[in-house]
Amino acid sequence: MPGRCQTLPDIVLGSVCPITEHRRQRGRKGCDMVYYSSGNYEAFARPRKPEGVDNKTAWIVGGGLAGLSAAVFLIRDGHMKGSRITLLERSSVSGGAMDGADVPEKGWVIRGNREMDDHFECLWDMFRSIPSLEIPDASVLDEMFWVNKDDPNFFLQRATINCGQDAHTDGKFGLCDKAQKELMTMFLATRKEMENKRINEVFTQEFFKTNFWMYWRTMFAFEEWHSALEMKLYLHRFVHHIDGFPDMSALKFTRYNQYESMILPMVSWLKDHGVVFRYGVEVTDVDFDIQPTRKQATRINWKEHGTAGGVDLGPDDLVFMTIGSLVDNSDEGDHHTAAKLNEGPAPAWDLWRRIAAKDPSFGHPDVFGSNIAQTKWESATVTTLDKRIPEYIQKITKRDPFSGKVVSGGIVTVKDSSWLMSWLVERQPHFKKQPKDQVVAWIYSLFVDRPGDFIKKPMQDCTGEEITQEWLYHMGVPVDAEISQKGCTSG
């Protein structure tokens, strides 16, 4: 998955409505409530122990990065004992979309990758407290900082055309005066001016022909018909990285896949602090006592391994929920089987819909999750088995895939791909147990319902082998059945 962080809100519910309460408390002398600030003066100060925290418990719904982070901050900054925190996760493993696994008969599988930069302040603040599993007496932040300091990330070739030839984007945005004006108009517009508009209602075709749009859409998985407001918010979020946008020098990547490099250290630290992990628990609904000045969660309802259950909540119970999911209902194919589109039911989204029906302040999930046809995309993990294939990777990336250092530096976009395919090869090995003679690549496309250029089928109907053949074709590998059929495996 690309690095797009979809604007899905987290809900934090307890004895008070946190948003209205922190607005009332903001500015009171000696108050430790959460509020908006800037700079690192307050960020690096050690929070005082909240009154009554020893009597409180926390229930965290969702074991992805957001849920795990909530548990870390509750322990580190909230002074809560880990044994009083329970994390409820529907799947059998933590991490959500930040995954990476050796799947029997499929091989190495990753559904995506988060693109991180210098200004993930909350993330880096958290990981300075999580010990590395690789380096003694170092944090995950230390480990990642040293890796990227010694081996900085940047592209040597951002895009290809004509079966692996350089597309010569050459670090240029290609924005004409009109496209620049449209971009600035969006940036300076109010949120209200961008609400309920599509991107193609704000920009004209001159903009959509630019390298900037190609960089942007493939990095963040935007379509022309997606939300103009969301694009505006992304512009604000990443404007400081404009100069590093064409070559991805703004990005930081882990040594291994993000599950092993980030999620496992968090899970290990939380378990060491006594946090209770309950897998196979699907939260189906949350009951509330809703008053004009407060919203209190009174019960969590769930199915645990198919059996109905739940827990009643009191004023000392805090509930943290990740609502919606980027990977809810995702399906996995394999080298000989196409993945299937699963349109529902969708547990994470249906939970949000049930909660949102109780009060308008809980958001509008169908803004994000109601149009699968126009928001779907597909990815594949390819493992090379033929020693000839890494030579083509090296020809495009201009780096040795077996060096242990940066390879592609981010996604390489195939500009003339009917699928609008992009692919990525990170530092190898990408998995700790990966054989040294294999390269793991990740491929994703935005136009999954269009026929391919070599495989005349939509990506969504293709097996892993067919997706691999399309990728090899666009890398310039000669049309050779032996290489395409036996040279890789995919999941």
Side-chain angles (χ1 to χ4, degrees), residues 467-488:
I467 294 171
T468 300
Q469 290 174 336
E470 185 79 3
W471 175 57
L472 294 177
Y473 167 78
H474 281 296
M475 284 210 302
V477 177
V479 181
D480 184 322
E482 180 187 356
I483 294 180
S484 63
Q485 292 178 12
K486 300 180 180 179
C488 298

mmCIF file of all heavy atoms in Angstrom, residues 467-488:
data_model
loop_
_atom_site.group_PDB
_atom_site.id
_atom_site.type_symbol
_atom_site.label_atom_id
_atom_site.label_comp_id
_atom_site.label_asym_id
_atom_site.label_seq_id
_atom_site.Cartn_x
_atom_site.Cartn_y
_atom_site.Cartn_z
ATOM 1 N N ILE A 467 0.434 -11.022 -12.801
ATOM 2 C CA ILE A 467 0.893 -9.703 -12.349
ATOM 3 C C ILE A 467 2.407 -9.616 -12.481
ATOM 4 O O ILE A 467 2.958 -8.599 -12.922
ATOM 5 C CB ILE A 467 0.450 -9.451 -10.901
ATOM 6 C CG1 ILE A 467 -1.079 -9.348 -10.825
ATOM 7 C CG2 ILE A 467 1.093 -8.175 -10.354
ATOM 8 C CD1 ILE A 467 -1.628 -9.323 -9.408
ATOM 9 N N THR A 468 3.080 -10.699 -12.123
ATOM 10 C CA THR A 468 4.532 -10.745 -12.245
ATOM 11 C C THR A 468 4.961 -10.591 -13.697
ATOM 12 O O THR A 468 5.909 -9.861 -14.012
ATOM 13 C CB THR A 468 5.073 -12.072 -11.679
ATOM 14 O OG1 THR A 468 4.717 -12.176 -10.294
ATOM 15 C CG2 THR A 468 6.585 -12.149 -11.809
ATOM 16 N N GLN A 469 4.268 -11.256 -14.607
ATOM 17 C CA GLN A 469 4.604 -11.158 -16.026
ATOM 18 C C GLN A 469 4.448 -9.728 -16.527
ATOM 19 O O GLN A 469 5.268 -9.231 -17.308
ATOM 20 C CB GLN A 469 3.717 -12.111 -16.827
ATOM 21 C CG GLN A 469 4.045 -13.579 -16.607
ATOM 22 C CD GLN A 469 3.044 -14.501 -17.299
ATOM 23 O OE1 GLN A 469 1.916 -14.124 -17.568
ATOM 24 N NE2 GLN A 469 3.476 -15.719 -17.589
ATOM 25 N N GLU A 470 3.381 -9.061 -16.084
ATOM 26 C CA GLU A 470 3.177 -7.669 -16.481
ATOM 27 C C GLU A 470 4.312 -6.789 -15.957
ATOM 28 O O GLU A 470 4.808 -5.908 -16.669
ATOM 29 C CB GLU A 470 1.821 -7.167 -15.952
ATOM 30 C CG GLU A 470 1.434 -5.770 -16.395
ATOM 31 C CD GLU A 470 0.882 -5.706 -17.814
ATOM 32 O OE1 GLU A 470 0.733 -6.766 -18.460
ATOM 33 O OE2 GLU A 470 0.596 -4.588 -18.276
ATOM 34 N N TRP A 471 4.736 -7.032 -14.727
ATOM 35 C CA TRP A 471 5.838 -6.266 -14.128
ATOM 36 C C TRP A 471 7.149 -6.510 -14.887
ATOM 37 O O TRP A 471 7.864 -5.568 -15.230
ATOM 38 C CB TRP A 471 5.977 -6.656 -12.656
ATOM 39 C CG TRP A 471 7.141 -6.035 -11.949
ATOM 40 C CD1 TRP A 471 7.407 -4.707 -11.814
ATOM 41 C CD2 TRP A 471 8.197 -6.727 -11.274
ATOM 42 N NE1 TRP A 471 8.569 -4.514 -11.080
ATOM 43 C CE2 TRP A 471 9.069 -5.735 -10.732
ATOM 44 C CE3 TRP A 471 8.482 -8.068 -11.042
ATOM 45 C CZ2 TRP A 471 10.204 -6.069 -10.008
ATOM 46 C CZ3 TRP A 471 9.602 -8.394 -10.302
ATOM 47 C CH2 TRP A 471 10.456 -7.412 -9.798
ATOM 48 N N LEU A 472 7.442 -7.762 -15.159
ATOM 49 C CA LEU A 472 8.678 -8.088 -15.873
ATOM 50 C C LEU A 472 8.683 -7.455 -17.266
ATOM 51 O O LEU A 472 9.716 -6.962 -17.744
ATOM 52 C CB LEU A 472 8.841 -9.600 -15.978
ATOM 53 C CG LEU A 472 9.055 -10.356 -14.655
ATOM 54 C CD1 LEU A 472 9.122 -11.856 -14.903
ATOM 55 C CD2 LEU A 472 10.319 -9.880 -13.946
ATOM 56 N N TYR A 473 7.541 -7.463 -17.914
ATOM 57 C CA TYR A 473 7.430 -6.843 -19.242
ATOM 58 C C TYR A 473 7.796 -5.366 -19.170
ATOM 59 O O TYR A 473 8.577 -4.851 -19.988
ATOM 60 C CB TYR A 473 6.007 -7.027 -19.776
ATOM 61 C CG TYR A 473 5.683 -6.171 -20.977
ATOM 62 C CD1 TYR A 473 6.127 -6.525 -22.247
ATOM 63 C CD2 TYR A 473 4.940 -5.001 -20.831
ATOM 64 C CE1 TYR A 473 5.830 -5.733 -23.355
ATOM 65 C CE2 TYR A 473 4.635 -4.205 -21.918
ATOM 66 C CZ TYR A 473 5.082 -4.571 -23.179
ATOM 67 O OH TYR A 473 4.791 -3.778 -24.268
ATOM 68 N N HIS A 474 7.235 -4.663 -18.182
ATOM 69 C CA HIS A 474 7.495 -3.226 -18.063
ATOM 70 C C HIS A 474 8.908 -2.932 -17.570
ATOM 71 O O HIS A 474 9.370 -1.790 -17.684
ATOM 72 C CB HIS A 474 6.460 -2.577 -17.134
ATOM 73 C CG HIS A 474 5.139 -2.335 -17.798
ATOM 74 N ND1 HIS A 474 4.989 -1.478 -18.862
ATOM 75 C CD2 HIS A 474 3.902 -2.844 -17.551
ATOM 76 C CE1 HIS A 474 3.719 -1.454 -19.242
ATOM 77 N NE2 HIS A 474 3.038 -2.276 -18.462
ATOM 78 N N MET A 475 9.600 -3.917 -17.009
ATOM 79 C CA MET A 475 11.003 -3.724 -16.639
ATOM 80 C C MET A 475 11.942 -4.002 -17.809
ATOM 81 O O MET A 475 13.157 -3.790 -17.692
ATOM 82 C CB MET A 475 11.377 -4.624 -15.465
ATOM 83 C CG MET A 475 10.851 -4.151 -14.129
ATOM 84 S SD MET A 475 11.957 -4.653 -12.807
ATOM 85 C CE MET A 475 11.973 -6.427 -13.037
ATOM 86 N N GLY A 476 11.417 -4.502 -18.891
ATOM 87 C CA GLY A 476 12.252 -4.772 -20.051
ATOM 88 C C GLY A 476 12.789 -6.178 -20.125
ATOM 89 O O GLY A 476 13.651 -6.477 -20.973
ATOM 90 N N VAL A 477 12.288 -7.075 -19.281
ATOM 91 C CA VAL A 477 12.687 -8.479 -19.367
ATOM 92 C C VAL A 477 12.114 -9.051 -20.659
ATOM 93 O O VAL A 477 10.919 -8.894 -20.924
ATOM 94 C CB VAL A 477 12.179 -9.277 -18.151
ATOM 95 C CG1 VAL A 477 12.526 -10.757 -18.292
ATOM 96 C CG2 VAL A 477 12.771 -8.714 -16.860
ATOM 97 N N PRO A 478 12.934 -9.712 -21.482
ATOM 98 C CA PRO A 478 12.407 -10.282 -22.729
ATOM 99 C C PRO A 478 11.230 -11.210 -22.461
ATOM 100 O O PRO A 478 11.155 -11.868 -21.419
ATOM 101 C CB PRO A 478 13.604 -11.057 -23.292
ATOM 102 C CG PRO A 478 14.795 -10.398 -22.700
ATOM 103 C CD PRO A 478 14.381 -9.955 -21.327
ATOM 104 N N VAL A 479 10.292 -11.219 -23.381
ATOM 105 C CA VAL A 479 9.115 -12.076 -23.249
ATOM 106 C C VAL A 479 9.590 -13.524 -23.292
ATOM 107 O O VAL A 479 9.782 -14.102 -24.360
ATOM 108 C CB VAL A 479 8.092 -11.784 -24.349
ATOM 109 C CG1 VAL A 479 6.872 -12.685 -24.173
ATOM 110 C CG2 VAL A 479 7.690 -10.323 -24.321
ATOM 111 N N ASP A 480 9.787 -14.083 -22.130
ATOM 112 C CA ASP A 480 10.398 -15.409 -21.991
ATOM 113 C C ASP A 480 9.571 -16.180 -20.979
ATOM 114 O O ASP A 480 9.566 -15.857 -19.797
ATOM 115 C CB ASP A 480 11.844 -15.269 -21.517
ATOM 116 C CG ASP A 480 12.578 -16.602 -21.449
ATOM 117 O OD1 ASP A 480 11.943 -17.594 -21.062
ATOM 118 O OD2 ASP A 480 13.773 -16.630 -21.759
ATOM 119 N N ALA A 481 8.885 -17.183 -21.413
ATOM 120 C CA ALA A 481 7.983 -17.929 -20.527
ATOM 121 C C ALA A 481 8.728 -18.547 -19.367
ATOM 122 O O ALA A 481 8.221 -18.650 -18.248
ATOM 123 C CB ALA A 481 7.253 -19.008 -21.313
ATOM 124 N N GLU A 482 9.977 -18.966 -19.601
ATOM 125 C CA GLU A 482 10.737 -19.608 -18.534
ATOM 126 C C GLU A 482 10.994 -18.636 -17.387
ATOM 127 O O GLU A 482 10.793 -18.964 -16.231
ATOM 128 C CB GLU A 482 12.066 -20.130 -19.066
ATOM 129 C CG GLU A 482 12.897 -20.819 -17.991
ATOM 130 C CD GLU A 482 14.282 -21.195 -18.485
ATOM 131 O OE1 GLU A 482 14.557 -20.984 -19.676
ATOM 132 O OE2 GLU A 482 15.084 -21.644 -17.672
ATOM 133 N N ILE A 483 11.421 -17.408 -17.727
ATOM 134 C CA ILE A 483 11.682 -16.435 -16.673
ATOM 135 C C ILE A 483 10.387 -16.031 -15.976
ATOM 136 O O ILE A 483 10.287 -16.013 -14.767
ATOM 137 C CB ILE A 483 12.373 -15.181 -17.258
ATOM 138 C CG1 ILE A 483 13.763 -15.544 -17.767
ATOM 139 C CG2 ILE A 483 12.473 -14.096 -16.198
ATOM 140 C CD1 ILE A 483 14.511 -14.367 -18.347
ATOM 141 N N SER A 484 9.358 -15.706 -16.758
ATOM 142 C CA SER A 484 8.138 -15.195 -16.167
ATOM 143 C C SER A 484 7.386 -16.232 -15.365
ATOM 144 O O SER A 484 6.694 -15.914 -14.406
ATOM 145 C CB SER A 484 7.223 -14.626 -17.277
ATOM 146 O OG SER A 484 6.844 -15.653 -18.170
ATOM 147 N N GLN A 485 7.517 -17.502 -15.732
ATOM 148 C CA GLN A 485 6.765 -18.540 -15.035
ATOM 149 C C GLN A 485 7.545 -19.150 -13.869
ATOM 150 O O GLN A 485 6.977 -19.550 -12.882
ATOM 151 C CB GLN A 485 6.366 -19.639 -16.012
ATOM 152 C CG GLN A 485 5.332 -19.181 -17.043
ATOM 153 C CD GLN A 485 4.983 -20.267 -18.031
ATOM 154 O OE1 GLN A 485 5.321 -21.434 -17.854
ATOM 155 N NE2 GLN A 485 4.302 -19.897 -19.109
ATOM 156 N N LYS A 486 8.866 -19.226 -14.013
ATOM 157 C CA LYS A 486 9.661 -19.898 -12.989
ATOM 158 C C LYS A 486 10.611 -18.963 -12.246
ATOM 159 O O LYS A 486 11.215 -19.350 -11.253
ATOM 160 C CB LYS A 486 10.473 -21.033 -13.617
ATOM 161 C CG LYS A 486 9.628 -22.113 -14.284
ATOM 162 C CD LYS A 486 10.499 -23.191 -14.876
ATOM 163 C CE LYS A 486 9.648 -24.278 -15.561
ATOM 164 N NZ LYS A 486 10.486 -25.327 -16.179
ATOM 165 N N GLY A 487 10.719 -17.739 -12.748
ATOM 166 C CA GLY A 487 11.709 -16.835 -12.171
ATOM 167 C C GLY A 487 11.281 -16.118 -10.917
ATOM 168 O O GLY A 487 12.101 -15.483 -10.246
ATOM 169 N N CYS A 488 9.988 -16.167 -10.579
ATOM 170 C CA CYS A 488 9.477 -15.459 -9.413
ATOM 171 C C CYS A 488 8.353 -16.265 -8.774
ATOM 172 O O CYS A 488 7.774 -17.166 -9.373
ATOM 173 C CB CYS A 488 8.896 -14.096 -9.798
ATOM 174 S SG CYS A 488 10.039 -12.936 -10.535
#
